[in-house]
Amino acid sequence: QQQVKQSPQSLIVQKGGISIINCAYENTAFDYFPWYQQFPGKGPALLIAIRPDVSEKKEGRFTISFNKSAKQFSLHIMDSQPGDSATYFCAASMETSGSRLTFGEGTQLTVNP
Amino acid sequence: ETGVTQTPRHLVMGMTNKKSLKCEQHLGHNAMYWYKQSAKKPLELMFVYSLEERVENNSVPSRFSPECPNSSHLFLHLHTLQPEDSALYLCASSRRAGGSYNEQFFGPGTRLTVL
């Protein structure tokens, strides 16, 4: 019940294309959905996050789309750049879970020049 | 130093060794965390400390022993590890331990190899 399923495991996109990473969850008590970005040799860093009371959040080229009824959320990277090549993790947490972030398995994104 | 730092960055140890991982946060946060990151697996939360008090311990084997002497420093003491313990160990911190919308800031990790 605490799992977050992420797909695809790896993704290759051409420069300028759209990268889409999907996550699905089971626990309807989750109320915070962050995406983390991790470059090789670095720890994950918060990229963008959404609450379930909105269906979309955009920050620059990064957009989260949230479908509460389907219990799914996705990250869209518009105009993908080689510098976006990294591993992306979705996560979820709830107010009552304290500090626990439940992470997806990660997606390794490669953007070819 | 800024953010969250971890030392050493790489560690190779035998199964009978004793070693320690160190984490330091320079953000004035009150909560610190240890995570284990293995290939193609979700990050696994190991321990959580809030104001130097352990508030969460997720069924981690006793061969991993955390220590939080103050809100800026966190250690993970290792002894008699197994090869399957080889992984990237990440430290993180946040303003507080509870609640949502609570951004966690990660260090670069220690790559541990157990021979």
mmCIF file of all heavy atoms in Angstrom, chain A residues 76-93:
data_model
loop_
_atom_site.group_PDB
_atom_site.id
_atom_site.type_symbol
_atom_site.label_atom_id
_atom_site.label_comp_id
_atom_site.label_asym_id
_atom_site.label_seq_id
_atom_site.Cartn_x
_atom_site.Cartn_y
_atom_site.Cartn_z
ATOM 1 N N HIS A 76 6.702 15.999 -17.047
ATOM 2 C CA HIS A 76 6.950 16.300 -18.448
ATOM 3 C C HIS A 76 8.094 17.302 -18.515
ATOM 4 O O HIS A 76 8.057 18.336 -17.823
ATOM 5 C CB HIS A 76 5.719 16.930 -19.098
ATOM 6 C CG HIS A 76 4.543 16.008 -19.153
ATOM 7 N ND1 HIS A 76 3.920 15.655 -20.312
ATOM 8 C CD2 HIS A 76 3.878 15.356 -18.175
ATOM 9 C CE1 HIS A 76 2.914 14.831 -20.060
ATOM 10 N NE2 HIS A 76 2.869 14.637 -18.766
ATOM 11 N N ILE A 77 9.095 16.979 -19.310
ATOM 12 C CA ILE A 77 10.207 17.908 -19.528
ATOM 13 C C ILE A 77 10.124 18.367 -20.979
ATOM 14 O O ILE A 77 10.333 17.573 -21.913
ATOM 15 C CB ILE A 77 11.567 17.256 -19.253
ATOM 16 C CG1 ILE A 77 11.584 16.636 -17.851
ATOM 17 C CG2 ILE A 77 12.694 18.288 -19.391
ATOM 18 C CD1 ILE A 77 12.854 15.850 -17.546
ATOM 19 N N MET A 78 9.785 19.621 -21.161
ATOM 20 C CA MET A 78 9.650 20.173 -22.506
ATOM 21 C C MET A 78 11.017 20.612 -23.014
ATOM 22 O O MET A 78 11.893 20.983 -22.221
ATOM 23 C CB MET A 78 8.695 21.376 -22.485
ATOM 24 C CG MET A 78 7.389 21.129 -21.773
ATOM 25 S SD MET A 78 6.432 19.804 -22.510
ATOM 26 C CE MET A 78 5.915 20.643 -24.011
ATOM 27 N N ASP A 79 11.184 20.578 -24.349
ATOM 28 C CA ASP A 79 12.440 21.046 -24.952
ATOM 29 C C ASP A 79 13.631 20.423 -24.200
ATOM 30 O O ASP A 79 14.513 21.134 -23.714
ATOM 31 C CB ASP A 79 12.515 22.575 -24.912
ATOM 32 C CG ASP A 79 13.703 23.137 -25.660
ATOM 33 O OD1 ASP A 79 14.199 22.480 -26.593
ATOM 34 O OD2 ASP A 79 14.154 24.242 -25.286
ATOM 35 N N SER A 80 13.636 19.114 -24.089
ATOM 36 C CA SER A 80 14.670 18.420 -23.315
ATOM 37 C C SER A 80 16.067 18.758 -23.826
ATOM 38 O O SER A 80 16.294 18.861 -25.042
ATOM 39 C CB SER A 80 14.449 16.904 -23.394
ATOM 40 O OG SER A 80 13.192 16.554 -22.844
ATOM 41 N N GLN A 81 16.985 18.920 -22.884
ATOM 42 C CA GLN A 81 18.363 19.296 -23.190
ATOM 43 C C GLN A 81 19.331 18.230 -22.672
ATOM 44 O O GLN A 81 19.017 17.537 -21.696
ATOM 45 C CB GLN A 81 18.687 20.638 -22.551
ATOM 46 C CG GLN A 81 17.811 21.780 -23.012
ATOM 47 C CD GLN A 81 18.007 22.069 -24.492
ATOM 48 O OE1 GLN A 81 19.137 22.184 -24.988
ATOM 49 N NE2 GLN A 81 16.905 22.181 -25.224
ATOM 50 N N PRO A 82 20.506 18.121 -23.285
ATOM 51 C CA PRO A 82 21.492 17.150 -22.783
ATOM 52 C C PRO A 82 21.796 17.327 -21.301
ATOM 53 O O PRO A 82 22.059 16.347 -20.590
ATOM 54 C CB PRO A 82 22.720 17.432 -23.662
ATOM 55 C CG PRO A 82 22.151 17.919 -24.952
ATOM 56 C CD PRO A 82 20.946 18.745 -24.562
ATOM 57 N N GLY A 83 21.733 18.556 -20.814
ATOM 58 C CA GLY A 83 21.965 18.809 -19.390
ATOM 59 C C GLY A 83 20.874 18.267 -18.487
ATOM 60 O O GLY A 83 21.044 18.228 -17.270
ATOM 61 N N ASP A 84 19.759 17.836 -19.068
ATOM 62 C CA ASP A 84 18.682 17.220 -18.277
ATOM 63 C C ASP A 84 18.953 15.736 -18.027
ATOM 64 O O ASP A 84 18.218 15.083 -17.278
ATOM 65 C CB ASP A 84 17.339 17.351 -19.002
ATOM 66 C CG ASP A 84 16.909 18.788 -19.190
ATOM 67 O OD1 ASP A 84 17.263 19.640 -18.349
ATOM 68 O OD2 ASP A 84 16.221 19.067 -20.197
ATOM 69 N N SER A 85 19.973 15.199 -18.678
ATOM 70 C CA SER A 85 20.311 13.779 -18.510
ATOM 71 C C SER A 85 20.652 13.512 -17.050
ATOM 72 O O SER A 85 21.602 14.079 -16.507
ATOM 73 C CB SER A 85 21.486 13.396 -19.407
ATOM 74 O OG SER A 85 21.159 13.561 -20.764
ATOM 75 N N ALA A 86 19.865 12.671 -16.423
ATOM 76 C CA ALA A 86 19.967 12.414 -14.982
ATOM 77 C C ALA A 86 19.007 11.286 -14.646
ATOM 78 O O ALA A 86 18.276 10.786 -15.512
ATOM 79 C CB ALA A 86 19.611 13.667 -14.180
ATOM 80 N N THR A 87 18.985 10.912 -13.375
ATOM 81 C CA THR A 87 17.985 9.961 -12.899
ATOM 82 C C THR A 87 16.906 10.745 -12.158
ATOM 83 O O THR A 87 17.218 11.612 -11.333
ATOM 84 C CB THR A 87 18.604 8.907 -11.975
ATOM 85 O OG1 THR A 87 19.629 8.212 -12.685
ATOM 86 C CG2 THR A 87 17.561 7.899 -11.509
ATOM 87 N N TYR A 88 15.675 10.448 -12.465
ATOM 88 C CA TYR A 88 14.536 11.144 -11.874
ATOM 89 C C TYR A 88 13.744 10.181 -11.002
ATOM 90 O O TYR A 88 13.456 9.057 -11.396
ATOM 91 C CB TYR A 88 13.640 11.735 -12.974
ATOM 92 C CG TYR A 88 14.333 12.836 -13.740
ATOM 93 C CD1 TYR A 88 15.226 12.545 -14.766
ATOM 94 C CD2 TYR A 88 14.114 14.185 -13.416
ATOM 95 C CE1 TYR A 88 15.888 13.547 -15.448
ATOM 96 C CE2 TYR A 88 14.773 15.197 -14.094
ATOM 97 C CZ TYR A 88 15.662 14.867 -15.102
ATOM 98 O OH TYR A 88 16.320 15.872 -15.778
ATOM 99 N N PHE A 89 13.423 10.646 -9.803
ATOM 100 C CA PHE A 89 12.649 9.856 -8.848
ATOM 101 C C PHE A 89 11.354 10.585 -8.523
ATOM 102 O O PHE A 89 11.381 11.775 -8.167
ATOM 103 C CB PHE A 89 13.410 9.655 -7.538
ATOM 104 C CG PHE A 89 14.661 8.837 -7.662
ATOM 105 C CD1 PHE A 89 15.884 9.452 -7.889
ATOM 106 C CD2 PHE A 89 14.620 7.457 -7.547
ATOM 107 C CE1 PHE A 89 17.053 8.701 -7.995
ATOM 108 C CE2 PHE A 89 15.783 6.705 -7.648
ATOM 109 C CZ PHE A 89 16.996 7.323 -7.877
ATOM 110 N N CYS A 90 10.244 9.886 -8.619
ATOM 111 C CA CYS A 90 9.026 10.431 -8.046
ATOM 112 C C CYS A 90 8.932 9.943 -6.606
ATOM 113 O O CYS A 90 9.585 8.972 -6.217
ATOM 114 C CB CYS A 90 7.801 10.007 -8.844
ATOM 115 S SG CYS A 90 7.501 8.224 -8.886
ATOM 116 N N ALA A 91 8.148 10.623 -5.816
ATOM 117 C CA ALA A 91 7.984 10.247 -4.417
ATOM 118 C C ALA A 91 6.610 10.709 -3.947
ATOM 119 O O ALA A 91 5.926 11.489 -4.628
ATOM 120 C CB ALA A 91 9.086 10.863 -3.550
ATOM 121 N N ALA A 92 6.223 10.211 -2.797
ATOM 122 C CA ALA A 92 4.950 10.607 -2.209
ATOM 123 C C ALA A 92 5.062 10.538 -0.695
ATOM 124 O O ALA A 92 5.818 9.733 -0.151
ATOM 125 C CB ALA A 92 3.828 9.695 -2.705
ATOM 126 N N SER A 93 4.323 11.410 -0.049
ATOM 127 C CA SER A 93 4.267 11.341 1.410
ATOM 128 C C SER A 93 2.904 11.851 1.869
ATOM 129 O O SER A 93 2.125 12.378 1.082
ATOM 130 C CB SER A 93 5.384 12.161 2.049
ATOM 131 O OG SER A 93 5.136 13.543 1.914
#
